Structure formats: structure tokens, C-alpha cells
Amino acid sequence: MAPAPELLPYAKIREDLFRPLSGAGSSYWLTMLAALAVVLAGAYAWSYQLRFGMGVTGLQRPVFWGFYIVDFVFWIGISHAGTLISAILRLTEAAWRKPITRAAEAITVFALMIGGLFPIIHLGRAWYFYWLIPYPNDRLIWPNFRSPLVWDLTAIITYITGSVIYLYLPLIPDMAQLAEHNTPWRRKLYRILSLGWTGSDREWHALERAMKLMAGIILAVAVSVHTVVAWDFAMTIAPGWHSTIFGPYFVAGAIFSGIAALIIVMALIRKVLKLELYLTDHHFNNLSKLLLMMSLLWLYFTMAEHLTVWYGNEPEEMTVFNAKTRSAYAPLFWGMVGLNFVVPFVLLGIRRLRTIQTAAFSSVCVLIGMWLERYLIAVPTLTNPRLTSATSSYFPSWVEITITAATFAGMVMLYLIFAKIFPIIAVWEFKPHVAEEE
Amino acid sequence: MYLIGEFRETRAAAAAIQKLRAGGIGPGDLDLFSEEPVALPRGLLDRPSHMSLVSVLGAIALGSLATLFVRYAQNDYKLVTGGMPIFSFWATGVITYEMTMLGAIVATFIWFLWESGLVRKRDQRAPVPRVAPGSMCLRVRCAADWADRANEIMKGSGAVHIERRADA
Amino acid sequence: MEHRWGMAIDLDRCTGCEACVVACHAENNLPVAPPDQAATGRTVHWIRVDRYYEGEFPDIKVKYMPVMCQHCDDAPCEPVCPTYATYHNNEGLNVQVYNRCVGTFYCANNCPYTVRYFNWFDPEWPQPLQLQLNPDVAVRVSGVMEKCSFCIQRIKRSKEDAAQGPRPLADGDVKPACVQSCPAEAMVFGDLADPESKVSRLAENGRATKLLEGLGTKPKVFYLQRAK
């Protein structure tokens, strides 16, 4: 059996974790190129939409929110990966989180950057998106602070600032270590980013205090961010949306999809960067158990929401409920339940079936399932308005599909770039402590 | 005069620090350099921190400022919407909350930069030891005539290598 | 005293002829959707006639209901617009300011009557309809939400004419396009703040109902119909 990573010699750890930073093979460049192609296709699709109008999407009255809003909620949800792992596990001092934190925090920052694009992409006049920002202007008017969309703006700005800082802080010591890298531009970059870190105890103390505070703050922010996103729906009076459970439901769903995204990313970097010694079965076992737990929590919330709607039997709510579970959207709904609950429950609940591969597979299923969940929240309500003369349907156009695909490709690109410039495992956090006082 | 002693074990470094402090060297003249945080016994080399307080103050400051701004803005141009009063705390409470959190975040980060000494005007002449992996370096600043005593203390505590540097 | 504009529609008189729909199109420069857009449900009708069928052939009964923006006193569309593009003016109208609209669609999602319409593309009219655009009404661009305005341009014009007099604005002076064109005279528009106006008296009528009243939106359109 391989030695525990903490017991490997320092030189080997350093070498393993810094090796991905030098050089890039052909598979790296091919993946980058493919991702870039999809991203460019998405950029073209968006420019097409800006040029010709929102009519190029599949949206129609009364389905005014479609793929873009689903994508928005989905990506903001994924951003909870970093928060859970870094903040909660840091606060509970779970040691197994150490090799995972930076990868998770990177997912958070990139998912937020991508998710934060969608409130702009979905606008009818996207070039005026900045009107939601309060600044003195010649329209003589401030934004409407009562609107959940303005709350969204503040929440996401706060979360992105916090996440970037939370990613950057533990990066500083690693930057100092890399400052003697062989490539000149890297040397310069690392030196600037290290802020002259020397490793003195004063600096370490300040860093640890800051990390501890940030962990608590970022947790509070993360809960609020997805609650506020949920309130974009829940604050309306649309049937199926006006539910008090949406706040906690979305947060639980976000953590759920975040863990799934994290497992997939971990499995990939383990394979590609040859980090088998550092990301072990132990880590995936724990993450799988977390995923399973969140799956059960998700099931609970889904049950609670739908059972109360069904039992209350209000006509307009039941129209939406029936559309979701019995008629038009039933295949998607039950597929979602299968992907989000049945697959993880079987593959991860049965100990013998719980491997890294099945964890990754379950996570992919969960991501699809969670995307479907957001779709099934947004669309069936809109296609079944209170006044039935407006009942309609929705199917996305190539523009929406391309832009959605481009965001996934964009995530891949950002991550590939990140992994090449910064060590994906925090070396200083990971190195074994020098023998301590008994 | 600076002395830089390299230690391999926390115990040894801790012993050296204790003896040096007993000899009269203040914590301001002691710095322990390492590649990861070292857990020293309590009270040995504590660095007082105001970070929590600053964080809370920053939170309160930005939260209040934001709420006052929203109140001002909504009264500046009195538009009625959906039967709500001109300024409704609960209708904009989320903004108060988020800005409070942002205040805490920004205050923490800025204070970290200050407290760690990373952006302070540092004593550029103080030598920074290059720490070998697995070691930690204790840098002592003392008067030139005290240097030998410091040297003995560190050697006695188990330093594997001691270097002297004069003030530049 | 401030006006408070409201409307009363007598459903027992309405024949479903949709003259009101056409008149609104003409008055308010509504875009005409090309066939492919109409097929995907992107027609714009600030006032539309909903049909509700009861019974089976040959005993079918149809109820026609012209539905337009209800100018709710507690409008759900208003608090959610981030740029105040929709707000309540002091005459009780729910006003849509096209210049401020960024196109977040939030107002339309929150409207329980689904009376808001979006400009998916820049508007176009089949020749020669583009020659009969009303100069009193803005032509909306792509990306902006719009809805019935109770012909606010006609309200303004009537108020200006009355101020010229000077004479007070009389009941019946203001006639939105739909009210003016109804052959069955099923629609009445007026000032709810004036207890003597026709619309106020009709609102007190035993047959007066409001659409989706239980939601608490306080709409200002009264539908007069025989109770079942």
C-alpha cells in the first residue's frame, strides 16, 4: 500500500505538486483548443443575439425566463463547492480537506464568474446592464433596491470578492515558494503575487487569523447568496414559485451540485496531473458520503415542497404540479429524481460499489439532475400561467444551447489555465508539520 | 547584529526562544521563519491581533453606510411601487446584510495585509533567511556584545546551523 | 383632486368582435408579428379577448373577456423592476417607461394576468401600415417590455384640451382607443375618484367583479357579469 502522503519526503511532494506548472503536453493544448472553439461559438451566438434581439432565443410569452436563468442558478449553485469544502471543513478542522481546498476554491471563483455573466446575457437590452448599479447618473434615478435582482447584484459582488480573497490568501505562501521558478514571466508573476512573503511567524499568524475569519464570513455569504437567487423566484406570486422553502431548498441544492462538481474535478486532476498519491480513496470516500448525504437532503426538500403543494390542491398550483409530475414535464421530472437520488443512493450507498469511478459517474448524473431541477422550477410555472389563455410551451434555440455549452467549455478553459499557473494543491497546507510537542 | 539559527524541530526552536526571552530579548526582535505555520506553546511568541475587532467594525461600518445610502436614494427620488412605503427596511434588508458581509471581508483582508507586515514599510535591512525544506529559522536581533550569548543559547537548544549578519 | 383612472367592461354586452384589439393596434403603434413569430406565440396585443368555453357541442356557451393591463393599485410587477421602468404614477396608472427598461423580464413573470408583452425584435409593419403610426406614441425598440397604458397619450391630450378651455375635465372626455371603438359600448373609462362618473357608478353595480381578486393586486378594471 502506498505510504500516506504526509509521510512522503518533502522533495517529492514539492516536485509532484509543482511539476504540472512546467510545460504542457499535446493533450493539454488539444483540450484547450477544443474548449476555446466552443467558447468562441458561444461568443458568436451571444453577439448574434445582441445584434438581432432576444427573439433569436426560444423564449415566448409567457415563458420569459428559460435556459439563461436556469444556467445562472446552476452555475451559482456550483460555486458552493469551494465554500463547503473550504469553509465548513476548515471550521470543523477536518484534515482530509487539505489537498482539496484550492481546487474547490478555484471552482467557486470560476463558477461565480461564469454564473455572473448570465444576468447580463439574459437581458433584453444587455448593453444597459450597468443601470442596476447605483451611481449618480443623468437619468436622475437610482435603481430599485426593493427588487430581488438588485439584491442579486449585491450578493454576487460580495460573494465574488470574498471568494477571490479566500482563494488568494492561502496562495500567498505558495507564491513565495515558486518565486524562484525557471520561467522569467512566472518569476515576475509569482513574486508580485507573493507580496514579499517571507514566512515569518507574524505573517503566518495573521494569515491563519484571516483564514479563520474568512471561513466563517464566506459561509454566511454563501448561504445568503443562493437564498437571494432563490428569492428571485420565491418573491413572485407565480404558482409553483411562491414558496417559503425555496431559500433553504436552493442552498441545499447548491451544496449538492457543488460537491458533485468537486468530485468530477478532483477525479480529473487526479488522473491528468498524476496526483494519485495525494487524492486518495480516503478523500473520495468522504466526498462520496457527503454527496450521498446531500442527495438525501435534496430528496427531503423536494418531497416537502411537492407533497405540500399536492395536498393543498390549489387549482393553479396543481396545474403546475401536474405539468411537472404527470404530463408534459413528467419524463424530465422523474429522470431528475432518478439521477439525483437513485443513482447516488445505489452507487455510493452500497459500500462495495463506492469507488472513485462510480463517485465521478454519480456526480455527472447529479449535475445533469440538478440542471434539470432548475429547469423544472423555472419553465413549468411559466408555461402554465394563471390565466389559461396564455398557456404555452418552451423549447430552446441554438443560441441558448450554444451559450450554455460555451459556459462549460469556459469553465474547462479557466481551470486548465489555473492549473498551469498555480499549484492545484496548497503545498504549505499539505506539507506535514514538523514534529510537535506531545 | 542579527543571528539566524536553523532548527529542525519545533521543540528545539521553542526552547531557544524561551531562553532568549528569559535573557531579555523582546518578541519584537524575534522572528521565526518557516515554510508552514509552526505551533509554538502558548505565550511563548504571541502576536497580539486586532483582526476580529477590525472585521466587526468594518462590517458595521459598511452595513450602516449601505443602509443609509439606500434610504437616501429612495427618498431622493420618491417612486411608489406596489404599495410599499418609500423606504422599507425589510424590503432592502438583504442589501444591508450583504454589504455588512462585504465590509467584514474587505476589512479582514486589508487588516491582514497590515498586520502581517506585508504592506508595511519594513525594515529592508533585516536579512531574510532562506528556509530549507523541513527546517525553520529563528532570527534574533541583539546588540553586538550579546551575540555570543545568543549564539550559545541557540546552539544549546539544538540549532543545526547558526549564522551571523551584521547590520547592513 | 387627483384623478384615479379605471375601466368597466360589461361582459354581458361583449360580442368578442375584437374591434378593441384592432383599435389598440392602430392607436399604440403595436408591431405586427410576421407569420413565423405569430406561430411561436410572439404576437403583441395590449388588449386581448380571452375566450372561455362551457359545455359540449351543440350546447356550447362562450364567454368573451377583453383582458388588458389592470393597472393594479398593488401591482406585483412594480416592486420587482430593478430600474423603476414600471411604477405607479399619482393618477393610479401603472406606467411603463420604455427608456428605463433593461429587459430583465421580471415584471412579466410576476404579472398574474400575463398582460405584459415583450419586443423580441425591432418592430416592423407590413406595407403600408408603417405610414399610419400614431405620432403621439413612442415606437418601442427591441428588448423593451410594453403593455396597455390606458392610452395615456389620450389622457394627456384631454387634460391639455381641458386646461386650454379652461374647463374641468368632464366624464367621458377621455376615451382610450378600445373604449372608443367598441360597437356594443361594452367598455367604459373614467375617473374612479369622481363618485358621479359612469365608471364609478358601474363599479358599485351588483354585477361588478374583478379578475383574480383574491390575489390582492387591487386591479382597476371592473368586469360586469351576471352571477351564475
Side-chain angles (χ1 to χ4, degrees), chain A residues 55 57 59 125 144 147 232 237, chain C residues 40 42 50 80 82 102-103 106 110:
Chain A
T57 64
L59 297 169
R125 296 206 291 175
N144 180 8
S147 168
D232 284 347
I237 53 172
Chain C
T40 54
R42 287 189 181 155
D50 286 350
V80 292
V102 227
Y106 210 172
N110 213 11

Side-chain angles (χ1 to χ4, degrees), chain A residues 233-381:
Chain A
F233 296 100
M235 293 285 165
T236 67
I237 53 172
W241 280 4
H242 194 51
S243 165
T244 56
I245 209 177
F246 266 34
Y249 188 17
F250 274 51
V251 174
I255 297 178
F256 186 31
S257 55
I259 298 180
L262 182 60
I263 291 179
I264 295 173
V265 168
M266 296 269 89
L268 281 172
I269 63 176
R270 177 179 184 272
K271 193 87 185 277
V272 170
L273 299 178
K274 302 198 195 2
L275 295 170
E276 289 90 347
L277 286 175
Y278 305 90
L279 299 171
T280 62
D281 282 315
H282 178 60
H283 297 108
F284 283 92
N285 198 28
N286 285 341
L287 282 173
S288 300
K289 282 193 279 191
L290 266 180
L291 191 71
L292 182 60
M293 191 186 80
M294 293 312 297
S295 167
L296 292 170
L297 189 63
W298 175 85
L299 185 73
Y300 163 67
F301 273 116
T302 307
M303 263 290 276
E305 164 72 8
H306 288 90
L307 187 65
T308 45
V309 167
W310 173 79
Y311 197 89
N313 206 20
E314 273 184 75
E316 283 147 0
E317 299 270 342
M318 283 309 285
T319 314
V320 177
F321 179 87
N322 287 329
K324 266 169 103 165
T325 57
R326 290 176 181 150
S327 60
Y329 294 96
L332 287 178
F333 183 83
W334 296 108
M336 166 188 80
V337 174
L339 290 169
N340 276 349
F341 171 66
V342 177
V343 169
F345 193 70
V346 168
L347 288 181
L348 304 178
I350 302 175
R351 176 95 61 94
R352 201 171 311 169
L353 295 176
R354 199 188 303 153
T355 67
I356 297 182
Q357 286 76 19
T358 57
F361 177 73
S362 306
S363 298
V364 172
C365 292
V366 165
L367 280 190
I368 300 174
M370 284 312 290
W371 194 94
L372 281 176
E373 189 230 44
R374 273 58 178 257
Y375 185 82
L376 289 165
I377 286 175
V379 177
T381 290

Side-chain angles (χ1 to χ4, degrees), chain C:
Chain C
M1 193 176 54
E2 300 279 16
H3 299 289
R4 210 169 139 254
W5 302 110
M7 195 181 281
I9 302 178
D10 194 335
L11 295 182
D12 294 324
R13 284 183 183 226
C14 177
T15 59
C17 70
E18 296 197 4
C20 50
V21 178
V22 176
C24 178
H25 264 262
E27 170 74 13
N28 290 299
N29 302 339
L30 261 55
V32 178
D36 59 322
Q37 291 297 300
T40 54
R42 287 189 181 155
T43 49
V44 177
H45 302 302
W46 287 9
I47 180 169
R48 64 175 191 264
V49 176
D50 286 350
R51 288 181 185 72
Y52 294 99
Y53 298 96
E54 282 171 27
E56 295 285 324
F57 184 83
D59 296 314
I60 291 196
K61 283 206 187 92
V62 190
K63 179 159 82 180
Y64 300 102
M65 197 172 217
V67 179
M68 76 295 276
C69 173
Q70 309 278 297
H71 292 268
C72 310
D73 277 333
D74 216 333
C77 59
E78 289 172 359
V80 292
C81 174
T83 55
Y84 282 124
T86 178
Y87 74 99
H88 226 66
N89 80 358
N90 50 11
E91 294 192 344
L93 291 177
N94 178 286
V95 175
Q96 183 75 20
V97 183
Y98 307 122
N99 283 341
R100 288 210 285 260
C101 179
V102 227
T104 57
F105 303 96
Y106 210 172
C107 56
N109 283 336
N110 213 11
C111 175
Y113 306 100
T114 330
V115 284
R116 287 175 158 274
Y117 297 83
F118 189 73
N119 286 286
W120 301 102
F121 295 108
D122 276 329
E124 51 186 55
W125 291 269
Q127 302 264 7
L129 287 179
Q130 87 284 3
L131 295 174
Q132 61 98 66
L133 295 181
N134 185 347
D136 288 339
V137 177
V139 172
R140 285 77 59 190
V141 294
S142 162
V144 160
M145 194 68 78
E146 61 184 43
K147 63 172 183 70
C148 162
S149 60
F150 270 179
C151 282
I152 192 172
Q153 69 278 6
R154 291 188 175 205
I155 298 175
K156 282 209 173 109
R157 176 60 75 86
S158 298
K159 280 162 69 179
E160 278 165 16
D161 286 348
Q164 290 286 342
R167 57 173 171 81
L169 200 57
D171 184 32
D173 268 354
V174 184
K175 272 203 158 75
C178 50
V179 173
Q180 181 188 28
S181 64
C182 177
E185 290 182 24
M187 299 173 79
V188 174
F189 183 83
D191 188 357
L192 288 170
D194 175 7
E196 300 303 313
S197 70
K198 192 163 179 203
V199 73
S200 296
R201 282 185 276 121
L202 283 175
E204 305 289 313
N205 192 304
R207 287 187 304 141
T209 64
K210 291 202 244 190
L211 200 53
L212 296 180
E213 193 167 4
L215 284 177
T217 50
K218 304 197 189 102
K220 292 214 286 302
V221 176
F222 296 87
Y223 290 93
L224 279 72
Q225 47 186 327
R226 241 185 317 224
K228 289 235 180 55

Side-chain angles (χ1 to χ4, degrees), chain A residues 101-135:
Chain A
T101 50
R102 183 166 302 152
E105 285 152 16
I107 296 179
T108 296
V109 172
F110 298 142
L112 278 176
M113 282 163 56
I114 292 174
L117 275 182
F118 278 105
I120 303 176
I121 295 178
H122 98 279
L123 288 180
R125 296 206 291 175
W127 46 97
Y128 290 134
F129 76 94
Y130 59 90
W131 284 356
L132 269 81
I133 302 172
Y135 69 97

